[in-house]
């Protein structure tokens, strides 16, 4: 999918500012996770439980403070004094202050228990955040995996249809049996059935992605995470996860809280000592009785001694609950240890066979291409060709699943350590599979960085700036002033030198910055496809060396310039020399590459020029 020009420019601007981890047009996985993580119901539930635990601590702290009581009495009564009825009105106010002096340190242990419970709720929130981040990562990678697998299968079906058409012509001509055509029908039915199954799986994966993120899964890129130094040491990894696993941390905090509850239960065995201060503030009684308390202050100490077996049962219950919580923590520790070991071994095996899956695709491409040629020559049967095509699809499918499995296994390990969210922000790196690995043409990785020309458009007539070398049939460029000439002539040359340096250094970000944000590679390919392919070729070339000779400049307008030169390229065992033309456009005061072409060699037959669309 190709985004409109404003969207592509915005994405390029964000990538240049470092807001996106890659200049790709789609939102990277870390952006998706940060955007939707706190919106998940499970996360909001864990946040609410954490706030409830903090409120519980506030309640427990209040037990350490005294309680203040105020009372006011306003009563009308009819009394009898020596047989004489008297209507009496009483207005009285009292104050009391009660403070628990000693209760066997039950309040202290209760505060410790509430603190451990709060820490457990905080660990539960971290666990939920890591789990949701992993679920989003898994759903993201699953959608990409299924889409790539479907693309590979559709290409296989297209190849099978071409072979079927060829077979049908031979059957019509009476050259081969009609059973061969039936064989191709069977293969196509199998492939189309599998395509339907993959389409159903993709629909489910996309629906799950929408549920998790609330967004449509458009333009997703194969996610990846750069390995860290400590990831290769299984013992260090297990120890780190044991220390930082949120679920295990929460279980240990709950065990500590249950242990503090034992102290609360023990406090009930001790007498409770309360200190009370009572004071009468005001007393107004009409008529005044013979004797009444007008002002008073009282200090009282009361001791409550518990009796019965209720407190003993409470203590026993607290002990048993602590033992159960500790057993749950020990059981979780064993489960996490087994899970870590299993995931690490799977990840190590997946990484080890990754190069083999790529070699398998390359070998299957060679076999499929060779068998198709042999079939044309009558040296291979149609069944051999069909099997080779199926083997190629299976190899490509294994390569796709290997990349997805590496990401999900690594993300799951990081989630166990409570480090997935942070790692996505710091070590996220998209994975780009070479497009040639999904094709039928045999792919040679040694030539991955070599410039392969693609036919596009005829070259513009060549013209040098030097008057002595100006062709007679061509008119010289329009005159420009000295300042403009210096900036125009030296600008593209300096930019060309820096472009070569970025390419040779394998720095794709710097290399990409020399091109327009909406650079069009030609041949109907999108900017995103060109970026993905160039990133792979520039960054993975083996000791690249680029030399520029015979540089010629041509001025079109004040803001447009062309450079022609001989490019000598070498990487690994590959060597190449081509004539190239680069068209420059001045954008925001800086020269940018608008087009890039490989020209025909001197003395060659008149042929159209070639656009270096991807190399």
């Amino acid at each position: 999918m190709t985004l409109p020009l404003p969207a592509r420019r915005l994405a390029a601007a964000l990538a240049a500012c470092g807001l996106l981890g890659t200049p790709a047009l789609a939102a990277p996985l870390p952006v998706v996770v940060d955007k939707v993580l706190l919106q998940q119901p499970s996360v909001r539930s864990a946040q609410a439980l954490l706030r409830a635990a903090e409120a519980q601590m506030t309640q427990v702290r209040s037990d350490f403070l005294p309680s203040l009581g105020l009372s006011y009495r306003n009563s009308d009564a009819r009394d009898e004094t020596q047989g004489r009825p008297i209507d009496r009105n009483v207005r009285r106010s009292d104050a009391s202050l009660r403070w628990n002096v000693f209760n066997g340190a039950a309040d202290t242990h209760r505060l410790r228990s509430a603190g451990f419970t709060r820490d457990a709720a905080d660990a539960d929130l971290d666990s939920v955040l890591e789990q949701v981040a992993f679920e989003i990562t898994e759903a993201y990678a699953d959608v990409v995996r299924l889409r790539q697998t479907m693309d590979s299968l559709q290409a296989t079906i297209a190849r099978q249809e071409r072979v079927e058409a060829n077979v049908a012509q031979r059957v019509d001509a009476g050259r081969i049996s009609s059973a061969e055509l039936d064989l191709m029908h069977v293969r196509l039915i199998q492939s189309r059935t599998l395509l339907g199954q993959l389409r159903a799986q993709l629909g489910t994966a996309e629906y799950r992605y929408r549920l998790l993120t609330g967004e449509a899964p458009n333009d997703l890129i194969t996610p990846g995470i750069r390995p860290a130094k400590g990831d290769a040491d299984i013992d260090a990894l297990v120890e780190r996860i044991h220390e930082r696993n949120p679920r295990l941390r929460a279980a240990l905090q709950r065990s500590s809280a249950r242990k503090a509850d034992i102290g609360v239960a023990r406090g009930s065995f001790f007498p409770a000592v309360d200190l009370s201060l009572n004071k009468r503030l005001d007393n107004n009684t009409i008529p005044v009785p013979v004797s009444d308390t007008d002002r008073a202050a009282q200090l009282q100490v009361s001791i409550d001694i518990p009796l019965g077996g209720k407190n003993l049962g409470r203590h026993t219950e607290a002990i048993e609950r602590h033992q159960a919580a500790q057993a749950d923590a020990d059981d979780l520790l064993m489960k996490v240890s087994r899970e870590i070991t299993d995931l690490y071994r799977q990840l190590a095996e997946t990484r080890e066979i990754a190069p083999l899956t790529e070699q398998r695709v390359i070998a299957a491409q060679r076999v499929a291409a060779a068998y198709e040629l042999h079939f044309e020559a009558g040296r291979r049967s149609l069944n051999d060709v069909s099997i080779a095509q199926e083997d190629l699809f299976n190899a490509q499918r294994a390569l796709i699943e290997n990349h997805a499995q590496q990401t999900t296994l690594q993300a799951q390990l990081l989630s166990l350590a409570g480090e997935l969210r942070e790692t996505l922000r710091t070590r996220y790196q998209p994975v780009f599979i070479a497009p040639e690995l999904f094709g039928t043409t045999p792919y040679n990785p040694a030539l991955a960085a070599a410039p392969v020309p693609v036919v596009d458009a005829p070259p513009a007539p060549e013209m040098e700036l030097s008057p002595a070398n100006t062709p007679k049939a061509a008119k010289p460029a329009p005159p420009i002033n000295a300042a403009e000439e210096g900036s125009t002539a030296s600008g593209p040359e300096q930019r060309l030198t820096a472009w070569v340096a970025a390419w040779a250094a394998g720095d794709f970000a710097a290399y990409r910055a020399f091109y327009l944000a909406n650079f069009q590679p030609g041949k109907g390919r999108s900017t995103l496809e060109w970026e993905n392919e160039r990133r792979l070729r520039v960054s993975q070339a083996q000791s690249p060396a680029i030399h520029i000779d015979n540089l010629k400049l041509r001025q079109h307008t004040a803001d447009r310039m062309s450079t022609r030169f001989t490019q000598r390229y070498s990487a690994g065992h590959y060597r190449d020399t081509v004539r190239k033309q680069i068209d420059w456009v001045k954008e925001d005061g800086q020269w940018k590459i608008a087009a890039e072409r490989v020209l025909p060699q001197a003395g060659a037959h008149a042929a159209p020029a070639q656009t270096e669309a991807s190399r």
Side-chain angles (χ1 to χ4, degrees):
M1 178 181 293
T2 303
L3 296 180
L5 179 59
R8 293 200 298 267
R9 288 181 174 174
L10 176 59
L14 292 175
C17 296
L19 298 179
L20 301 180
T22 172
L25 300 179
L29 175 61
V31 176
V32 175
V33 172
D34 288 340
K35 183 178 179 181
V36 305
L37 192 60
L38 298 181
Q39 303 173 6
Q40 303 302 310
S42 57
V43 174
R44 289 188 282 112
S45 174
Q47 289 175 326
L49 291 176
L50 176 59
R51 291 192 295 268
E54 292 173 346
Q56 186 178 17
M57 284 198 65
T58 302
Q59 299 176 43
V60 174
R61 286 194 184 102
S62 66
D63 293 338
F64 287 89
L65 301 176
S67 59
L68 176 65
L70 295 174
S71 64
Y72 173 73
R73 179 184 176 189
N74 184 351
S75 65
D76 294 322
R78 185 177 181 83
D79 298 340
E80 285 192 10
T81 302
Q82 297 179 354
R84 295 175 55 191
I86 299 175
D87 292 332
R88 196 183 306 278
N89 181 263
V90 179
R91 305 290 187 272
R92 183 176 296 168
S93 59
D94 296 313
S96 65
L97 185 66
R98 179 180 292 272
W99 193 9
N100 179 268
V101 178
F102 177 76
N103 63 354
D107 291 342
T108 302
H109 289 292
R110 191 175 291 112
L111 180 61
R112 291 184 58 201
S113 176
F116 287 129
T117 302
R118 190 270 315 274
D119 294 340
D122 186 53
D124 285 336
L125 177 58
D126 284 341
S127 178
V128 171
L129 288 170
E130 290 294 318
Q131 180 62 29
V132 173
F134 168 70
E135 290 177 359
I136 295 174
T137 302
E138 185 180 35
Y140 191 105
D142 205 30
V143 172
V144 174
R145 175 184 66 84
L146 289 170
R147 285 179 176 173
Q148 291 177 339
T149 305
M150 284 184 60
D151 291 341
S152 175
L153 182 56
Q154 287 171 343
T156 300
I157 292 175
R159 292 193 296 269
Q160 290 175 337
E161 289 174 344
R162 288 196 298 269
V163 174
E164 181 189 35
N166 188 1
V167 171
Q169 292 178 356
R170 296 190 179 192
V171 170
D172 292 340
R175 296 170 56 190
I176 59 177
S177 170
S178 61
E180 300 289 349
L181 187 59
D182 293 335
L183 174 63
M184 285 309 305
H185 286 329
V186 171
R187 298 294 188 186
L188 275 170
I189 290 172
Q190 291 175 345
S191 298
R192 288 166 180 162
T193 302
L194 179 57
L195 182 63
Q197 296 172 355
L198 291 175
R199 190 179 293 111
Q201 295 176 19
L202 178 60
T204 302
E206 290 178 341
Y207 180 72
R208 181 191 176 203
Y209 181 87
R210 288 190 182 93
L211 284 179
L212 288 171
T213 65
E215 298 180 352
N218 297 329
D219 297 328
L220 304 188
I221 306 169
T222 308
I225 299 173
R226 293 193 302 272
K229 294 182 179 179
D231 292 349
D233 188 350
I234 179 62
D235 295 330
L237 180 63
V238 170
E239 183 178 357
R240 190 171 86 240
I241 292 179
H242 282 173
E243 292 176 356
R244 303 191 58 178
N245 180 263
R247 287 188 299 161
L248 185 58
R249 193 169 76 246
L252 293 174
Q253 294 295 336
R254 287 193 174 89
S255 176
S256 299
R258 300 292 80 79
K259 185 176 182 180
D261 288 341
I262 297 177
V264 176
R266 285 175 181 170
S268 63
F269 288 107
F270 294 89
V273 180
D274 293 333
L275 179 65
S276 300
L277 176 63
N278 301 308
K279 184 175 180 60
R280 177 156 292 173
L281 302 178
D282 183 42
N283 184 27
N284 185 12
T285 304
I286 301 174
V288 179
V290 175
S291 175
D292 195 8
T293 302
D294 189 29
R295 297 286 190 277
Q298 179 182 0
L299 181 63
Q300 177 181 344
V301 177
S302 60
I303 300 177
D304 295 333
I305 300 176
L307 299 175
K310 180 177 71 174
N311 296 329
L312 182 62
R314 184 180 302 169
H315 180 261
T316 303
E317 179 188 358
I319 292 176
E320 296 300 329
R321 289 189 181 279
H322 170 250
Q323 292 180 355
Q326 186 60 48
D328 289 341
D330 294 340
D331 181 63
L332 181 59
L333 177 61
M334 290 190 295
K335 290 181 179 178
V336 169
S337 299
R338 290 196 300 267
E339 191 174 0
I340 295 169
T341 305
D342 183 48
L343 289 173
Y344 181 82
R345 288 175 178 171
Q346 291 184 48
L347 178 60
E349 185 68 22
T350 303
R351 286 176 173 172
E352 185 176 352
I353 66 174
L356 300 179
T357 59
E358 185 171 323
Q359 295 174 15
R360 177 186 173 187
V361 171
I362 296 173
Q365 285 177 332
R366 296 193 185 116
V367 171
Y371 277 23
E372 288 183 13
L373 292 176
H374 293 169
F375 175 70
E376 294 291 338
R379 296 168 54 191
R380 288 285 177 181
S381 67
L382 181 61
N383 188 54
D384 293 338
V385 175
S386 300
I387 293 175
Q389 291 176 344
E390 185 176 354
D391 288 344
L392 176 56
F393 165 71
N394 290 332
Q396 292 171 342
R397 185 177 187 177
L399 175 65
I400 295 168
E401 292 181 348
N402 180 272
H403 281 81
Q405 191 175 16
Q406 286 189 59
T407 300
T408 53
L409 289 173
Q410 193 173 5
Q412 194 167 2
L413 279 172
L414 291 168
S415 176
L416 287 174
E419 301 172 356
L420 178 57
R421 290 169 292 154
E422 180 62 26
T423 301
L424 288 176
R425 298 188 187 101
T426 58
R427 287 162 43 200
Y428 176 78
Q429 182 177 8
V431 177
F432 297 98
I433 303 176
E436 292 84 353
L437 291 174
F438 294 114
T440 56
T441 304
Y443 171 58
N444 187 355
L447 306 181
V452 179
V454 180
V455 175
D456 185 33
E462 183 176 323
M463 181 183 297
E464 296 184 31
L465 290 179
S466 173
N469 297 328
T470 301
K472 294 181 179 180
K475 295 182 180 181
I480 53 178
N481 57 46
E484 193 176 74
E485 182 178 4
S487 63
T488 303
S490 61
E493 289 182 284
Q494 294 174 354
R495 295 284 288 171
L496 188 62
T497 302
W499 172 76
V500 170
W503 187 1
D507 187 350
F508 176 76
Y511 175 87
R512 176 64 179 89
F514 287 94
Y515 293 81
L516 291 174
N518 61 332
F519 177 76
Q520 300 298 321
K523 302 302 293 180
R525 299 202 307 165
S526 67
T527 305
L528 177 60
E529 293 173 334
W530 173 81
E531 286 177 341
N532 293 343
E533 186 174 349
R534 288 306 294 158
R535 178 183 290 105
L536 181 69
R537 296 185 182 282
V538 171
S539 60
Q540 294 189 4
Q542 300 178 358
S543 303
I546 304 99
H547 299 282
I548 300 299
D549 298 321
N550 304 323
L551 177 62
K552 300 177 182 180
L553 306 176
R554 182 189 179 193
Q555 178 75 32
H556 298 285
T557 65
D559 295 331
R560 300 189 68 86
M561 171 75 72
S562 295
T563 56
R564 284 192 178 186
F565 51 87
T566 300
Q567 174 183 291
R568 306 183 189 279
Y569 179 91
S570 64
H573 300 290
Y574 182 81
R575 300 290 186 275
D576 191 282
T577 300
V578 296
R579 285 283 296 164
K580 183 178 287 188
Q581 175 176 321
I582 292 181
D583 297 332
W584 301 83
V585 174
K586 186 175 288 187
E587 183 180 70
D588 297 330
Q590 195 172 34
W591 290 101
K592 297 278 189 178
I593 298 176
E596 187 175 356
R597 300 182 180 89
V598 173
L599 306 176
Q601 297 293 336
H605 181 70
Q610 300 162 329
T611 297
E612 191 183 17
S614 60
R615 296 165 176 83

